């Protein structure tokens, strides 16, 4: 499975700073200050909670990253089968029913698509906006599904 190139670059830089070589295949990538395995409770208190708060996401749990990942994949038009595979779910219904959510901004975009499809220019004038970025509003442009 591929990782985003930006994360590969960040991880490579971390490994280089730590002095890892290709021979260090059994070494821990992330450790505490003494080189020991991380303890979740300490990491959560010392790293996760301050980082989540600084990012404006106070109270977010680590599992929220999975939910954000699933929602982002679906909202950005990645097919459900690929999202299912990346999240490690046996059934795509788990991906959609448990992890992915429907953000209000996407619901607004969907409503605008329906308005434009059935009311054309009148709907565009009422909303004062162009077609939403992720959706095609013109039947001649395709199936009316998310663009990739």
């Amino acid at each position: 499975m591929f990782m985003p190139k930006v994360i590969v670059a960040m991880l490579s830089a971390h490994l280089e700073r730590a002095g890892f070589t290709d021979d260090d295949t059994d070494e821990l990538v992330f450790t505490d200050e003494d080189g020991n395995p991380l303890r979740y409770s300490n990491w959560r208190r010392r790293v996760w909670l301050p980082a989540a708060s600084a990012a404006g996401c106070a109270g977010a749990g680590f599992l929220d990253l999975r939910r954000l990942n699933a929602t982002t994949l679906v909202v950005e038009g990645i097919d459900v089968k690929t999202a299912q595979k990346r999240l490690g779910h046996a059934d795509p219904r788990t991906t959609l029913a448990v992890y992915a959510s429907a953000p209000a901004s996407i619901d607004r975009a969907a409503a605008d698509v329906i308005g434009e499809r059935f009311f054309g220019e009148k709907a565009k004038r009422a909303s004062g906006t162009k077609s939403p970025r992720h959706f095609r509003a013109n039947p001649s442009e395709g199936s009316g599904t998310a663009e990739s």
Side-chain angles (χ1 to χ4, degrees), residues 40 48 59-76 83-84 86-89 94-103:
Y40 176 74
W48 176 259
F62 197 69
L63 188 59
D64 291 325
L65 291 177
R66 271 182 80 74
R67 291 185 186 103
L68 178 62
N69 185 7
T71 299
T72 300
L73 291 171
V74 172
V75 164
E76 291 296 326
Q84 170 201 348
R86 291 191 64 84
L87 291 161
H89 297 149
T94 302
T95 305
L96 293 174
V98 177
Y99 288 94
S101 64

Side-chain angles (χ1 to χ4, degrees), residues 123-145:
K124 287 181 188 178
R125 286 192 304 273
S127 69
T129 62
K130 295 182 180 178
S131 296
R133 174 175 77 89
H134 296 287
F135 296 90
R136 296 181 182 114
N138 184 339
S140 66
E141 292 178 353
S143 64
T145 59

